[in-house]
Amino acid sequence: MLTPPFIAPRRFDDPVAALAQVRTVYESAIAHLRTAIQRFIAGEHLTQRVRAYYPHVRVRTDTVARADSRLSYGFVAGPGVYETTLTRPDLFGTYYLEQFRLLMENHHVPLEVGTSRQSIPVHFSFPDDEYIEATMLAERQLLMPDRFDLPDLYAMDDGIANGTFEPGPGEPGPLALFTAPRVDYSLHRLRHYTATASEHFQNFVLFTNYQFYIDEFVRLGRALMSDPDQGGAEYTAFVEPGNVVTRRGGGAAEPGDALGAVPPHLPQMPAYHLVRDDRTGITMVNIGVGPGNAKTITDHIAVLRPHAWIMLGHCAGLRTTQQLGDYVLAHGYVREDHVLDEDVPLWVPIPPLAEVQLALEGAVADVTQLRGYELKRIMRTGTVASTDNRNWELRPQHTPMRRFSQSRAVALDMESATIAANGFRFRIPYGTLLCVSDKPLHGEIKLPGMANQFYRERVDQHLRIGMRAIELLRQQRPGQLHSRKLRSFAEVAFQ
């Protein structure tokens, strides 16, 4: 077996030094794998299997006491040993540093960092812009499993996040929701689904189910970059699919910018990024229509540990008092999307999060300049139903309508409940603000001409409301946003 030098665990009382050790272990492992695979691609016969291992961090504590009981993360559930594997310190360095700092402050114990026993799949050892199979002959590809570790789905399940993981006798408890292989897997999936590299994703995410919103976001992003005198000077770049980077005011290109190229076809769920240097900018993703896409993309964005994600889209209004163009702020969900039933059973409530709700309501007031009772003319707070049946209106005996009425639902779509439930599942603050685009129960259905005119008139305001909500959320500390409502009984420390 060809492996890099083993780096035994060392104790650190300084989070910066602990992170530096993570980098050392990881970079040594990645360099080892890259060198070996390059030799293999070149045709060299490797006589031994090649393997390298992720770094890991471990904490030991013998008390439940912690420095600040008000925190929602940064501490372990009780006495014991806890650990997790780590990856991509170049991407997660700031995040890891904060988690390390909180653990040390809350428990007054050192952290142990060293080489883990979890091998790194060779596919995860190369940068996003390199494809190791591209120049490899078919017969060499067939030999890869004999010489390298390939992705193993058994090491990537979501048992920790789902609350079903139980350590074996003598095994440490988990420190994070995701193991390193699970994180790496999602980083590669994000590149596939969105056509942008993971480092461009920001800590606040907007999801939409209509291209009109993306068109407006692109127009705004390009305008902010072309005119330095426009508002939003804190945004430094706009990134489009294919990693096409536009710097603000024609600023100097940075390493990697030249690698961007417009893709010949848009990916399944294209992502666009209004970038801030502290990563608290806005990522917007067009998830298309349906709960399957909504679950898929949130499964993967979750590993980036965003501070909040919000659904902005169109919905069917279910009440006679609603008008086309009215807004719906979801405070509950009827979940008939079915894609998360095994992971988040239907008996689990998905609560509204006050911080996000207040930001969305405040944003509607700020943009529309309506307050108090007047705001009720255009916005209703209530239950949103999400279904996986696009033609629910055609079901016999009107059974869906009866259920929606009994649930007190005020609007219906196909994605919002999925995004909220996956936010709950992955401990990511979530919210939903929809715009009524049709009222099928009352004869107001979407017709092409009407829909196009409606979208043009309403999308700009709706998008500005979403962006304003993110501005309000950004003013809060992460500790405020990551609500204690999202903690389980025995929660992991990393959030």
Side-chain angles (χ1 to χ4, degrees), residues 293-306:
N293 277 0
K295 178 183 183 298
T296 296
I297 199 64
T298 49
D299 279 349
H300 299 311
I301 290 180
V303 306
L304 298 172
R305 310 313 299 146

Side-chain angles (χ1 to χ4, degrees), residues 116-184:
S116 75
R117 292 177 293 178
Q118 177 66 59
S119 63
I120 303 176
V122 69
H123 293 78
F124 299 162
S125 68
F126 275 71
D128 284 348
D129 58 344
E130 292 188 34
Y131 300 86
I132 62 175
E133 295 96 340
T135 58
M136 194 184 307
L137 297 176
E139 55 269 25
R140 300 297 288 174
Q141 292 187 33
L142 293 175
L143 292 174
M144 279 186 65
D146 294 333
R147 292 292 176 266
F148 298 94
D149 292 314
L150 305 186
D152 177 9
L153 292 180
Y154 287 102
M156 302 179 195
D157 69 58
D158 283 330
I160 301 172
N162 291 346
T164 59
F165 173 78
E166 294 185 6
E171 291 184 356
L175 261 181
L177 294 175
F178 304 109
T179 62
R182 169 68 168 84
V183 173
D184 275 337

